[in-house]
Amino acid sequence: MTKLRMKELASSLELNQEKIADEGFSSYLKNPIDLSACTNNTLSILPHEIRNFTFVRFYRNGDFSIVSPRPFRSYKYVKYGFWRHDVAVNVDYSLPIYNRTDYLPDDLHTPYKRFLSDIGGKSCIVTSYRFGQFKDTFMFVFADEITKKDYLDIYAMLHNVAISFYHLEIECDTNFKLPKSFYDQYVYQNDNYIFDSFADFVEARHLTKTKASYLLPLALNMPLDYMASLFCKSRRTVEKNIDEIRESLNVSSKFELCQLLNAYHIMKVQKSFHTFPYMSEGVLKPL
């Protein structure tokens, strides 16, 4: 990657730290690459060939963190204008699983498939999890064609990849920022859809809003210290809330609680595939 292209990428993403000197930019992007190496073992044992993996944490203020072995592909992604039509960027739009192509307008399908084919990919399947003011998004480029009928088979697998990822307790200390002009042209800024797998669970068990906020992290088996850091809570506060949830459900251990909530989340997602919003004539529509 030349210095010119690196400067273009920096400009496109409006890096929100001041250390964007030419000589430092390659090391600035080194963090996403190094962090992604931690996921190689997990991805290598999957029954499908994964051509690329990217994790992005999107914040409400336009900041985002990225973990990827190919961060420079974000430059092409921006250059081709795909991100202005990407529901992943909208923190208030969180589908548990979808094929990225299905949520792009028809005129971008061919160029996006060409973009995938550059690295031997045919499908980009995205899973996402919404936590308060941010959304975590996992993007998997498959070497195979993946369709909706495959979701039942692959969702649990990809959810378990997310569990493995969180167990690494990766801290993304390198943040980028969407350009100020981005939202002037972003197609989905006014769309809202957040899949809540625990809505019925919370209502049936009369859990408080605070207790409810721990259910998805527990379904992802997040370590205690990671949860405390992620949500700016003390470890003791996290432990106390988890213990109270565990006791209310008559569960003997955190491990058992995580297993229970993990199974419940996967079941709710698998039963709800047919209810997700869909794209029609360039517009997102609910079923």
Side-chain angles (χ1 to χ4, degrees), residues 33-52:
I33 298 173
D34 289 347
L35 292 177
S36 71
C38 301
T39 65
N40 288 343
N41 288 341
T42 301
L43 297 176
S44 67
I45 64 174
L46 298 182
H48 297 270
E49 183 179 359
I50 306 295
R51 302 297 297 171
N52 194 32

Side-chain angles (χ1 to χ4, degrees), residues 21-263:
D22 285 352
E23 64 274 11
F25 187 56
S26 59
S27 62
Y28 190 84
L29 280 185
K30 187 173 183 291
N31 180 247
I33 298 173
D34 289 347
L35 292 177
S36 71
C38 301
T39 65
N40 288 343
N41 288 341
T42 301
L43 297 176
S44 67
I45 64 174
L46 298 182
H48 297 270
E49 183 179 359
I50 306 295
R51 302 297 297 171
N52 194 32
F53 164 79
T54 301
F55 166 84
V56 187
R57 176 167 291 158
F58 291 102
Y59 295 88
R60 280 188 173 282
N61 64 358
D63 287 2
F64 64 95
S65 303
I66 184 171
V67 173
S68 176
R70 304 170 186 260
F72 291 120
R73 279 183 62 79
S74 61
Y75 169 77
K76 282 189 175 183
Y77 193 75
V78 170
K79 181 181 177 181
Y80 295 154
F82 297 132
W83 66 340
R84 298 193 187 280
H85 302 269
D86 191 347
V87 295
V89 182
N90 186 344
V91 174
D92 292 320
Y93 207 95
S94 183
L95 290 158
I97 184 171
Y98 62 95
N99 188 319
R100 186 182 249 169
T101 307
D102 290 344
Y103 289 84
L104 291 173
D106 291 345
D107 61 332
L108 287 181
H109 285 192
T110 297
Y112 184 66
K113 287 182 177 180
R114 191 179 305 123
F115 175 74
L116 292 180
S117 68
D118 287 345
I119 56 170
K122 291 186 177 180
S123 303
C124 179
I125 302 301
V126 181
T127 60
S128 65
Y129 304 91
R130 166 70 183 278
F131 305 104
Q133 298 300 306
F134 64 90
K135 179 176 73 172
D136 284 354
T137 303
F138 295 81
M139 306 171 188
F140 304 87
V141 176
F142 284 76
D144 310 313
E145 287 283 359
I146 304 295
T147 64
K148 287 186 178 68
K149 64 181 178 63
D150 299 310
Y151 289 177
L152 276 173
D153 295 327
I154 68 171
Y155 181 73
M157 174 185 76
L158 298 183
H159 179 73
N160 279 298
V161 171
I163 290 174
S164 297
F165 181 86
Y166 288 123
H167 261 272
L168 296 170
E169 299 190 55
I170 290 174
E171 294 191 12
C172 305
D173 57 2
T174 301
N175 281 350
F176 301 89
K177 193 174 186 68
L178 294 169
K180 294 175 182 177
S181 61
F182 171 77
Y183 291 102
D184 294 336
Q185 302 178 50
Y186 182 51
V187 176
Y188 302 126
Q189 60 181 309
N190 296 319
D191 289 289
N192 294 274
Y193 177 84
I194 298 174
F195 179 82
D196 184 356
S197 57
F198 292 105
D200 295 339
F201 189 94
V202 169
E203 183 177 358
R205 288 156 181 80
H206 310 290
L207 297 180
T208 65
K209 185 176 180 180
T210 297
K211 297 290 189 297
S213 68
Y214 284 90
L215 298 181
L216 184 55
L218 286 167
L220 287 158
N221 207 1
M222 287 186 182
L224 288 173
D225 288 334
Y226 187 75
M227 266 194 270
S229 172
L230 203 58
F231 302 112
C232 301
K233 305 288 184 183
S234 70
R235 179 187 172 95
R236 179 60 196 138
T237 297
V238 173
E239 284 182 318
K240 181 175 181 293
N241 277 283
I242 291 175
D243 284 345
E244 290 174 358
I245 295 170
R246 182 176 55 75
E247 289 169 6
S248 71
L249 298 176
N250 195 28
V251 175
S252 61
S253 67
K254 176 179 179 285
F255 175 78
E256 186 180 346
L257 178 62
C258 289
Q259 292 292 96
L260 170 68
L261 296 176
N262 177 23

